Amino acid sequence: MTTKARRTAEAAEQGVAQAPASETPVTKEKLFLLAGLAAVGSLATNIILPAFPMIGGELAISAPQLGLLLSSFFIAFALGQLVVGPLSDRFGRKPLVLGGLAVFAAGSVVCATADALPLLILGRVIQALGACAASVLSRAIARDLFDGEALGRALALTMIVGAAAPGFSPLLGSVLAGLFGWRITFVVVALFAVALAALYLARIGETHHADRRTALAPSAVASAYGRLAAEPRFLLPALAVSLVIGGLYSFFAAAPGVLMNQLGLTPLQLGLSFAGTVLIVFAAGFLAPRFAARWGQRPVGMAGLVVALAGGVAMFGFAALPTFTTYTMAIALYLFGMGLINPLGTAIALHPFGRQAGLASALLGFLQMGCAAVGAYLASALPFAPAISLAIVLTTGSTLALLAFLPVALRQTRAEPVAAPASTGA
């Protein structure tokens, strides 16, 4: 089957009227802005990881209490998206993006001046409520601008660019904290938000025009969320992506315990290790749209989940006596699989819901951060060594994701048999 025929079959299989495909070009400038919006939350989380021992020592905070800085952020992030999505469908993306970045910057200032755990947690919650707007609307804006394979390509390329922030931010955080103390990290992310707001205002602006906006009433929003949550075309790929993303944040939460406590790495070495993972995500994000154009989004997404599961199983194999090499190999497998399913599963979940892109992206973000909160908590709370706890979370999450995505892949297999690669044409 040709690429054009496959696109037609995908549209027919989705069974909904789509908005006309956008002619907006996928430019580097747009990708940078979308990646920046998407990365605000992970930047704010990852940049402080190497400073955890310093924060704990200065404010007399125990390791479990430090975990609250992650879980409180994830919970507020998840809940906030449920409000931001429908608000943006009603009033447009622009006021929510700019307002969210302003709130995030304010929360960062609260964190930078905190002298006790409660105030630090409050600042993290405020950060999350602002960051969630930027994150959820980066996907909604991508859906506003692009369609079909262009949407999948834009999401994949956005992930490639956006991976630099969470990948290199621990390295940046370790350098900044070592030179100026942990508080400077929150000042840096506040300045990043201000710069991103100025660039967004100048280069993209409003993308959700008045003729596509939906009514806003609590009962209508609740009903829309209910219908969307019961829609398999959305729920199954969204769950698959969310469970794997939950494993990613579990990795973020467990990495200091594994690499610093178990393997003896310094904060700077931890940052360098995170930076190395960027190359894996780069590679997966670069290959995902190319694989999808050749074999289809669903088969490639399924393959990504199998690879992620292999990474979780490999982590189990080495968890009892981990070394830096075995740990890195297992994480590399997981991250490569995650890098394949994340953009493709997101595109599959959002594509049929162009008129509700904000709401659909919000529910997807809620599921992702909900899984992240649970995964990060389990990675810290399970009564095992950090590597074993992480292996349990990664393997369980990948298995559930695979089961959720299987009907999606089988539906394409029945509706759209993919020809041999040699016969795939434009």
Side-chain angles (χ1 to χ4, degrees):
M1 179 177 285
T2 65
T3 301
K4 184 180 293 184
R6 183 166 60 246
R7 292 172 186 164
T8 303
E10 283 179 345
E13 186 268 330
Q14 286 165 343
V16 291
Q18 298 298 323
S22 173
E23 298 299 327
T24 304
V26 182
T27 65
K28 292 180 180 179
E29 188 175 64
K30 290 184 176 69
L31 290 176
F32 176 80
L33 282 166
L34 293 175
L37 292 173
V40 165
S42 55
L43 170 65
T45 294
N46 288 19
I47 199 171
I48 66 172
L49 292 178
F52 266 21
M54 192 180 299
I55 296 172
E58 182 175 327
L59 300 184
I61 300 173
S62 66
Q65 289 174 322
L66 282 170
L68 293 174
L69 299 181
L70 297 179
S71 57
S72 62
F73 185 94
F74 293 149
I75 292 170
F77 197 108
L79 295 174
Q81 290 180 100
L82 296 179
V83 178
V84 169
L87 283 176
S88 75
D89 284 338
R90 174 63 182 88
F91 298 108
R93 317 300 187 208
K94 181 178 173 181
L96 275 299
V97 169
L98 296 178
L101 291 172
V103 170
F104 173 81
S108 301
V109 172
V110 172
C111 290
T113 58
D115 58 0
L117 179 62
L119 191 57
L120 191 56
I121 291 176
L122 174 62
R124 289 287 288 167
V125 169
I126 296 172
Q127 269 192 322
L129 294 176
C132 74
S135 179
V136 69
L137 294 181
S138 69
R139 294 187 294 269
I141 292 169
R143 182 61 187 88
D144 292 339
L145 294 175
F146 311 112
D147 194 15
E149 287 185 6
L151 174 61
R153 186 167 66 254
L155 288 170
L157 294 174
T158 296
M159 186 191 69
I160 293 175
V161 180
F168 286 112
S169 56
L171 179 59
L172 176 62
S174 65
V175 172
L176 290 174
L179 292 175
F180 306 106
W182 61 269
R183 297 179 188 274
I184 193 66
T185 59
F186 292 106
V187 176
V188 168
V189 295
L191 294 176
F192 175 76
V194 172
L196 194 60
L199 196 57
Y200 166 81
L201 190 60
R203 300 300 185 186
I204 290 187
E206 187 58 69
T207 58
H208 189 57
H209 302 295
D211 60 345
R212 294 176 60 83
R213 296 182 186 178
T214 58
L216 181 66
S219 59
V221 170
S223 177
Y225 273 128
R227 290 193 302 272
L228 194 60
E231 172 56 70
R233 289 174 302 163
F234 171 83
L235 184 61
L236 293 178
L239 273 177
V241 170
S242 300
L243 287 163
V244 175
I245 292 295
L248 173 67
Y249 281 96
S250 302
F251 158 62
F252 291 157
V258 177
L259 296 177
M260 297 175 70
N261 297 339
Q262 284 190 267
L263 301 181
L265 269 64
T266 66
L268 180 59
Q269 290 171 327
L270 174 68
L272 290 170
S273 174
F274 271 110
T277 64
V278 172
L279 300 177
I280 302 166
V281 181
F282 275 11
F286 178 81
L287 293 172
R290 288 160 176 77
F291 288 164
R294 190 173 183 86
W295 292 295
Q297 291 180 331
R298 291 171 174 82
V300 176
M302 191 70 178
L305 290 170
V306 172
V307 173
L309 177 58
V313 173
M315 181 69 72
F316 253 125
F318 305 117
L321 292 171
T323 66
F324 180 76
T325 300
T326 58
Y327 173 83
T328 301
M329 288 173 56
I331 285 299
L333 273 176
Y334 185 86
L335 291 179
F336 188 82
M338 183 276 300
L340 292 178
I341 182 59
N342 183 22
L344 302 180
T346 298
I348 292 168
L350 296 184
H351 185 258
F353 307 99
R355 295 189 65 85
Q356 296 176 301
L359 187 137
S361 182
L363 187 54
L364 175 61
F366 173 79
L367 292 172
Q368 288 181 357
M369 287 300 103
C371 290
V374 172
Y377 171 77
L378 291 176
S380 303
L382 288 175
F384 306 108
I388 296 176
S389 298
L390 180 59
I392 292 172
V393 173
L394 295 185
T395 305
T396 303
S398 299
T399 301
L400 294 174
L402 197 63
L403 293 174
F405 198 76
L406 184 59
V408 180
L410 291 177
R411 185 163 63 243
Q412 172 171 318
T413 301
R414 292 193 300 267
E416 180 200 328
V418 179
S423 66
T424 301

